[in-house]
């Protein structure tokens, strides 16, 4: 499901409204703790290094008080707030930390990259439609006791390999009661493949896995578990001779959904009669990716569409988003 570009998914960083100004070091340290408590959803195939870095420090958006955009629905209610905190801004905050904290962050990043490689290999070996729980032996159980684990038992990662559908006809029976997707966009981008992802399953025995790891002196233990049947989101790739574009549909959070981006550019736009946010991510080779996100009026669904500027321009992407939004 994951495209080779490093700017693909992951809005799952813990984001909250800005708080009154505090010392910058306190902001970053609070962000680090927020990161520790956040569930990091791992996508199938390769995890980009940029993603790893953003998961380590991206939660600084909680405190940075950077640029924010609010999206309202047809009733005038705020349904999505996005804050912007670029990699450069995050790095400036980190550089103001004591040297020992910078060293610890660098070690955490390296460890995150190592674990991500392990998770990638595990996921690549899963049959479509299967789910596993991974128990990681903690380096310091005493430190773990001070962490409030938000969803899973301590040191548990849950990953799945979704079933991939090669046509909307095959995918429709699974999600058709919630939403409809077009078989093509713009007349040239045809449905290529789609995945339906479900929320993480909690059907694991953490104590048994912990006991096995201790008994067999393992660094981690992997167990297949029943998959969840609670819809999380769907993702579809449309392809033409120019390249691919990707659409996502997920159930929006109740009330004002809060999220963050490390995009270099963030602007408010319109997708038909819907307020939307358009972000632009630029990589080191100056290749730019545009990503438009909105919550469809009259529904509880969050849509997004993204593509490289080498494939479609911003203006073309917004036209395709309008078509996606109008599909019934």
């Amino acid at each position: 499901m994951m495209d080779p570009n490093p700017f693909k998914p992951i809005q799952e960083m813990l984001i909250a409204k800005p708080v009154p100004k505090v010392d910058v070091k306190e902001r970053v340290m609070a962000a680090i703790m927020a990161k520790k408590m956040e569930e990091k959803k791992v996508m199938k195939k390769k995890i980009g290094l940029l993603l790893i870095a953003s998961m380590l420090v991206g939660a600084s958006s909680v405190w940075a008080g950077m640029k924010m955009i609010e999206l309202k629905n047809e009733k005038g209610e705020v349904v999505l707030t996005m804050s912007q905190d670029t990699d450069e801004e995050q790095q400036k905050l980190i550089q103001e930390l004591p040297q020992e904290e910078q060293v610890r962050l660098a070690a955490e990043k390296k460890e995150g990259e190592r674990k991500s490689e392990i998770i990638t290999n595990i996921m690549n070996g899963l049959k479509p439609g299967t789910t596993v729980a991974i128990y990681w032996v903690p380096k310091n159980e005493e430190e773990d006791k001070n962490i409030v684990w938000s969803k899973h038992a301590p040191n548990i990662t849950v990953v799945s390999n979704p079933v991939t559908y090669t046509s909307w006809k095959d995918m429709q029976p699974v999600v058709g009661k919630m939403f409809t997707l077009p078989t093509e966009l713009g007349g040239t981008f045809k449905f290529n493949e789609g995945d339906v992802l479900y929320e993480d399953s909690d059907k694991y025995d953490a104590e048994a896995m912990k006991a096995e790891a201790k008994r067999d002196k393992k660094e981690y233990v992997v167990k297949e578990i029943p998959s969840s049947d609670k819809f999380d989101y769907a993702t579809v790739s449309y392809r033409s001779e120019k390249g691919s574009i990707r659409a996502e549909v997920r159930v929006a959070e109740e009330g004002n959904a809060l999220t963050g981006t490390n995009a270099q550019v963030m602007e408010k736009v319109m997708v038909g009669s819907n307020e939307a946010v358009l972000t632009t991510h630029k990589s080191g080779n100056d290749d730019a990716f545009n990503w438009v996100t909105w919550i469809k009026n009259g529904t509880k669904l969050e849509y997004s569409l993204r593509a490289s500027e080498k494939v479609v321009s911003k203006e073309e992407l917004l036209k395709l988003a309008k078509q996606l939004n109008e599909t019934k």
Side-chain angles (χ1 to χ4, degrees):
M1 181 189 65
M2 195 154 190
D3 281 342
N5 79 73
F7 306 113
K8 216 178 162 287
I10 307 291
Q11 295 177 310
E12 284 84 13
M13 288 181 278
L14 186 64
I15 302 299
K17 291 182 179 180
V19 295
K21 287 186 177 181
V22 294
D23 182 79
V24 66
K25 297 178 182 62
E26 294 178 12
R27 291 207 307 261
V28 177
M29 293 311 297
I32 293 169
M33 282 308 300
K35 183 275 304 177
K36 285 179 178 290
M37 293 187 291
E38 174 62 355
E39 291 297 332
K40 296 183 273 294
K41 294 192 176 182
V42 185
M43 317 306 287
K44 98 175 171 181
K45 299 182 183 176
K46 184 65 180 175
I47 301 170
L49 296 184
L50 177 60
L51 176 61
I52 306 302
S54 70
M55 285 194 293
L56 287 172
V57 300
S60 61
S61 301
V62 176
W63 316 105
M66 301 299 173
K67 179 180 178 181
M68 302 184 76
I69 287 180
E70 291 185 338
L71 302 184
K72 297 180 180 180
N73 61 15
E74 73 279 13
K75 297 178 182 178
E77 301 165 332
V78 178
V79 291
L80 178 67
T81 299
M82 184 175 289
S83 63
Q84 181 186 29
D85 196 3
T86 67
D87 291 338
E88 291 77 11
E89 290 163 343
Q90 293 171 10
Q91 193 59 39
K92 286 179 183 178
L93 292 176
I94 291 175
Q95 288 173 354
E96 295 195 33
L97 286 171
Q99 183 62 33
E100 61 269 23
E101 290 300 333
Q102 293 186 41
V103 171
R104 189 172 68 82
L105 266 182
E108 269 193 45
K109 176 184 176 183
K110 185 176 180 180
E111 177 66 6
E113 292 169 355
R114 189 184 70 85
K115 281 189 174 181
S116 293
E117 288 294 330
I118 294 172
I119 294 172
T120 296
N121 291 333
I122 292 171
M123 295 183 75
N124 286 340
L126 295 181
K127 295 179 181 178
T130 59
T131 299
V132 297
I134 308 170
Y135 171 77
W136 305 90
V137 175
K139 292 187 178 300
N140 190 326
E141 287 196 64
E142 288 302 312
E143 286 186 4
D144 279 359
K145 292 179 181 178
N146 298 321
I147 299 175
V148 179
W149 297 87
S150 60
K151 186 173 182 179
H152 294 304
N155 306 298
I156 292 287
T157 300
V158 175
V159 294
S160 301
N161 186 4
V163 174
T164 297
Y165 302 91
T166 56
S167 72
W168 171 243
K169 181 180 178 181
D170 293 332
M171 190 171 172
Q172 184 176 16
V174 183
V175 296
K177 291 183 179 180
M178 293 182 287
F179 56 85
T180 300
L181 294 174
T183 57
E184 57 81 21
L185 285 173
T188 57
F189 290 92
K190 309 297 182 182
F191 188 109
N192 182 45
E193 64 176 25
D195 293 339
V196 179
L197 293 96
Y198 299 88
E199 292 189 3
D200 289 348
S201 172
D202 61 358
K203 306 298 182 182
Y204 51 79
D205 188 336
E207 290 303 316
M209 297 172 74
K210 180 177 179 180
E212 180 179 331
K214 184 176 182 180
R215 182 190 69 230
D216 298 339
K217 297 181 180 180
K218 295 180 179 178
E219 178 191 2
Y220 59 90
V221 172
V222 182
K223 293 292 183 182
E224 184 172 340
I225 61 175
S227 299
S228 168
D229 61 358
K230 190 172 182 180
F231 174 80
D232 191 2
Y233 68 97
T235 176
V236 170
S237 168
Y238 292 90
R239 193 165 188 83
S240 76
E241 292 181 355
K242 293 182 178 180
S244 65
I245 56 178
R246 185 168 291 272
E248 276 187 13
V249 185
R250 66 177 67 230
V251 177
E253 295 179 26
E254 291 291 334
N256 181 4
L258 302 160
T259 189
T261 179
N262 63 348
Q264 287 85 350
V265 180
M266 180 175 73
E267 54 189 307
K268 196 170 186 177
V269 295
M270 297 297 293
V271 173
S273 60
N274 284 258
E275 292 188 352
V277 60
L278 178 67
T279 57
T280 301
H281 306 256
K282 297 180 180 179
S283 61
N285 59 5
D286 295 325
D287 187 16
F289 283 82
N290 294 313
W291 188 339
V292 58
T293 304
W294 71 99
I295 294 180
K296 187 174 182 178
N297 286 340
T299 76
K300 295 182 179 180
L301 297 174
E302 178 184 315
Y303 286 74
S304 68
L305 192 66
R306 56 190 175 277
S308 166
E309 283 191 0
K310 292 180 178 179
V311 178
V312 294
S313 65
K314 283 184 180 181
E315 294 73 21
E316 291 171 320
L317 185 67
L318 290 174
K319 288 180 181 178
L320 297 175
K322 184 172 183 291
Q323 179 191 341
L324 181 65
N325 186 63
E326 293 174 349
T327 303
K328 297 180 180 180

